[in-house]
């Protein structure tokens, strides 16, 4: 299985470079991850729970720099177009080749559910977010999506449904835990799952919108 | 069919509000579109070609304000979870209910291919971009993705393949035309297609990366 994330940080500030670079460096250089940055996004390859962990860490670091900071992240697991990578495979389960969404029981079996059992430690950073989840290759994907939205509601960070996405609100750690759980839940139905997450902290528009709604 | 876009503009500047608001207003208030903005994104609902047109217009306006400006956009058509909307249906073809991806011949039939036949007028705004395309509900979705990447290559804006996405480079109008064409091409295989597009103009990292690659 291949899993990872392409993410970008957008600090709405003249000194955006001074916010982005330290935030990316906050992930460190762990041996169990491959991290590469270009001018559009940063790639993190590794086991999903580790990928979510370090992307949350980078975003938290950027948020603590102050101001309005947005994260845009694409999390993917099991894309049959990507070569397997040992970095992405948990120790223990057999490493089967990923030949297509929904066809790889080894991939589907290698699902953990950290957010379901782990108590998240609040960061104190309140964010708003929206995410879209795509279970690829299966006719019944709308049922999978509905189930993951249900899981997000249980996690207590659900705000409301929007066109094409689901809106969340809460502590950064809780929002990430809920999205990670949705990702893992969907992977029980198909090998190839993608989530796009947009997270926003410090928007000056928020108060205004809250007043009018 | 329901089609539209959720998009956000990220000017990396202290005066981001003064860039975003005029750019969103540059879309105008056309009667054939529904436009709604909250603190995370702006929704545009309407026929796909019109949606691409006004989102490109908003991003172009933001780019002309100067500096480093990013667009993040989710384009969607045919989501079976969204109600049909007359705004989204071209005049002429019958308006069948959208009951699921790949199951609605009326939806699949209502595909135009503007970018394939229309000559785009260059904006003079050079951008880098990356996009991911998700044809939902069909086992053969990887073939659909491969075909759309081929179409983007023909359009002359293909840069390279990255993990989880395809990187593009060129004039803003040419990049948008190629992505729109990929969107329409994929809709021939399934009713429900989503594209996530990230476009970047003026990144200070680009020169540095170009030098080292």
């Amino acid at each position: 299985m291949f899993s990872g994330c392409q993410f970008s940080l957008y600090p709405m500030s003249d000194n955006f470079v001074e916010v982005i670079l330290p935030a990316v460096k906050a992930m460190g250089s762990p041996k169990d991850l491959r991290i590469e940055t270009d001018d559009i996004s940063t790639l993190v390859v590794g086991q999903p729970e580790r990928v979510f962990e370090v992307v949350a860490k980078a975003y938290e670091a950027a948020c603590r720099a102050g101001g309005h900071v947005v994260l845009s992240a694409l999390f993917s697991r099991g894309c049959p177009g990507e070569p397997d990578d040992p970095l992405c495979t948990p120790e223990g389960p057999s490493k089967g080749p990923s030949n297509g969404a929904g066809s790889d029981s080894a991939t589907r079996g290698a699902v953990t559910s950290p957010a379901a059992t782990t108590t998240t430690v609040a960061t104190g950073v309140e964010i708003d977010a929206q995410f879209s989840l795509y279970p690829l290759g299966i006719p019944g994907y709308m049922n999978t999506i509905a189930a993951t939205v249900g899981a997000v509601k249980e996690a207590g960070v659900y705000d409301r449904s929007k066109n094409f996405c689901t809106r969340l609100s809460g502590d950064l750690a809780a929002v990430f835990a809920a999205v990670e759980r949705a990702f893992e839940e969907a992977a029980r139905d198909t090998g190839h799952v993608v989530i796009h997450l947009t997270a926003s902290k410090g928007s000056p528009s928020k108060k205004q919108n809250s007043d009018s709604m």
Side-chain angles (χ1 to χ4, degrees), chain A:
Chain A
M1 188 184 77
F2 190 85
S3 57
C5 177
Q6 290 277 9
F7 78 95
S8 305
L9 296 167
Y10 305 123
M12 257 54 77
S13 162
D14 288 349
N15 70 339
F16 64 95
V17 175
E18 287 72 38
V19 176
I20 294 173
L21 296 185
V24 171
K25 282 187 181 171
M27 295 189 290
S29 303
K31 289 185 178 174
D32 62 340
L33 298 173
R34 178 157 62 87
I35 301 175
E36 299 169 2
T37 298
D38 70 13
D39 56 305
I40 299 185
S41 59
T42 293
L43 171 72
V44 182
V45 174
Q47 293 183 37
E49 59 271 31
R50 287 284 290 135
V51 171
F52 273 93
E53 185 184 342
V54 298
V55 173
K57 188 182 286 186
Y59 184 48
E60 183 183 344
C63 286
R64 292 197 189 284
H68 178 24
V69 185
V70 169
L71 165 80
S72 178
L74 178 176
F75 296 94
S76 175
R77 58 175 294 152
C79 176
E82 308 276 3
D84 281 355
D85 191 314
L87 280 178
C88 307
T89 307
E91 292 178 16
S94 62
K95 302 175 183 180
S98 180
N99 295 322
S103 65
D104 182 1
S105 61
T107 300
R108 288 203 308 280
V111 171
T112 56
S113 53
T117 53
T118 306
T119 303
T120 58
V121 178
T123 61
V125 177
E126 291 292 316
I127 63 171
D128 294 278
Q130 59 197 32
F131 80 103
S132 304
L133 183 146
Y134 307 110
L136 279 304
I138 51 171
Y141 69 104
M142 290 299 292
N143 295 333
T144 303
I145 293 171
T148 60
V149 171
V152 167
K153 288 182 178 176
E154 284 176 19
V157 294
Y158 176 84
D159 179 0
R160 64 180 182 271
S161 176
K162 291 177 63 171
N163 292 114
F164 317 131
C165 55
T166 300
R167 186 172 165 130
L168 311 176
S169 181
D171 188 273
L172 190 153
V175 169
F176 265 78
V179 173
E180 183 183 352
R181 183 175 174 186
F183 192 64
E184 299 295 340
E185 289 284 337
R188 297 177 191 280
D189 291 347
T190 179
H192 188 186
V193 179
V194 178
I195 278 184
H196 281 261
L197 169 68
T198 303
S200 172
K201 173 248 160 195
S203 168
S205 305
K206 195 189 171 188
K207 179 72 170 55
Q208 190 180 330
N209 279 306
S210 301
D211 287 347
S212 64
M213 284 160 57

